[in-house]
Amino acid sequence: EMLERIYLFLDELGEVGVLTGDFFRYLVRRPFDGRLLLDQLDAVGVKSVNVVNLTAIFSGMVLALQMGQFLAKFGAKIYVSRIMGLSLLREMGPVLSALMVAARVGAGITAELGTMKVTEQIDAMRSLATSPVKKLVVPRVLATIIMMPVLTVLADAIGLLGGLVISVTQLGVSADYFYSSLIQNVRLEDLLSGLGKSVFFGFEIAIIACAKGLSATGGADGVGRATTSAVVGASITVLISDFFLTKFFLSI
């Protein structure tokens, strides 16, 4: 059973690798339909704003409350904004945004493409000499890559706002000091590190979701299994790649 799981995992990696190559090949091939991209930018980005912001603001509030209570033991709760800024910009903002997008967008892409696959719409496109990768995969992956940094910036801002509210109302830290301490200690490199991660996260989420959807078999039950597998696979990939991306961005 363990060998079967290993073979299945390697086979899935092969599918993602092949689709990645097809994506970059069709990305530069004309013509490019901008309307498809705009539709996906709306579906991936605009419709994910609420869930990402809700996650970010409560995460920021909890982070400020926990760190404030801990730092208060050493008389250092006034430094909560410094730690919050680094934590959100470098780590929590991009990772939490990616996990929410993986759950919402990844599941949606897999279910949509999986349904088209099991109802033979994908085969019909191929019979009409239309590339499913060009029409279906490229707009979705490109839209996710573009919107992930935007969602990450929003998550960072909303998370810091939540931390500011808790710092002022619960920790007794003035808003002016919170802001000035944050600006003095957070660098542009911290923000760029998180945005760089988010680009990779967006690609990973979308390409895995597309690969799972295009390989779905077995009717509605198969689409459900593919959707679950896509969300789990994308989330794990985000967490694993976050470690290596963190080491990379810390080294440059």
Side-chain angles (χ1 to χ4, degrees):
E1 183 180 354
M2 181 61 69
L3 287 176
E4 290 180 359
R5 290 182 177 272
I6 293 175
Y7 289 141
L8 181 60
F9 176 71
L10 292 176
D11 185 55
E12 291 175 349
L13 283 182
E15 292 176 356
V16 173
V18 171
L19 188 59
T20 298
D22 291 340
F23 165 75
F24 284 108
R25 186 168 67 253
Y26 282 103
L27 179 63
V28 297
R29 183 174 297 181
R30 296 179 181 275
F32 184 80
D33 194 342
R35 291 173 300 176
L36 294 176
L37 177 60
L38 289 175
D39 290 341
Q40 292 304 316
L41 289 173
D42 176 68
V44 170
V46 177
K47 294 181 180 177
S48 298
V49 167
N50 288 338
V51 66
V52 169
N53 286 348
L54 188 65
T55 302
I57 191 168
F58 281 101
S59 297
M61 292 168 70
V62 169
L63 186 63
L65 190 60
Q66 291 278 17
M67 285 194 305
Q69 295 297 325
F70 177 76
L71 293 174
K73 299 177 182 178
F74 309 98
K77 65 181 179 181
I78 60 175
Y79 301 121
V80 66
S81 64
R82 305 181 184 185
I83 305 174
M84 268 202 67
L86 291 174
S87 301
L88 279 171
L89 295 182
R90 280 190 169 271
E91 198 64 34
M92 292 188 65
V95 171
L96 288 176
S97 299
L99 293 177
M100 291 299 101
V101 171
R104 183 194 171 278
V105 176
I109 290 175
T110 305
E112 187 177 3
L113 297 187
T115 301
M116 295 180 70
K117 177 66 165 51
V118 299
T119 56
E120 300 181 352
Q121 295 179 55
I122 302 294
D123 295 332
M125 292 181 66
R126 291 195 177 100
S127 68
L128 295 173
T130 301
S131 170
V133 176
K134 181 70 174 176
K135 290 292 185 182
L136 302 176
V137 175
V138 170
R140 286 166 172 79
V141 176
L142 191 57
T144 311
I145 293 173
I146 293 172
M147 293 308 300
M148 270 305 304
V150 178
L151 293 172
T152 299
V153 169
L154 288 174
D156 292 339
I158 296 298
L160 288 172
L161 178 62
L164 171 63
V165 171
I166 294 299
S167 297
V168 172
T169 60
Q170 300 292 322
L171 305 178
V173 178
S174 69
D176 289 339
Y177 187 85
F178 184 97
Y179 175 77
S180 61
S181 178
L182 179 68
I183 294 300
Q184 291 172 6
N185 292 276
V186 173
R187 301 173 298 171
L188 179 62
E189 290 82 356
D190 299 322
L191 175 62
L192 295 179
S193 172
L195 296 183
K197 288 181 181 182
S198 67
V199 172
F200 287 96
F201 294 161
F203 175 76
E204 293 163 0
I205 292 167
I207 204 71
I208 290 174
C210 290
K212 294 291 186 181
L214 293 176
S215 62
T217 57
D221 184 56
V223 173
R225 288 195 304 269
T227 302
T228 302
S229 179
V231 173
V232 173
S235 301
I236 291 175
T237 303
V238 165
L239 295 174
I240 293 174
S241 64
D242 178 52
F243 170 76
F244 295 101
L245 290 171
T246 299
K247 291 196 68 174
F248 172 75
F249 283 112
L250 287 175
S251 65
I252 59 176

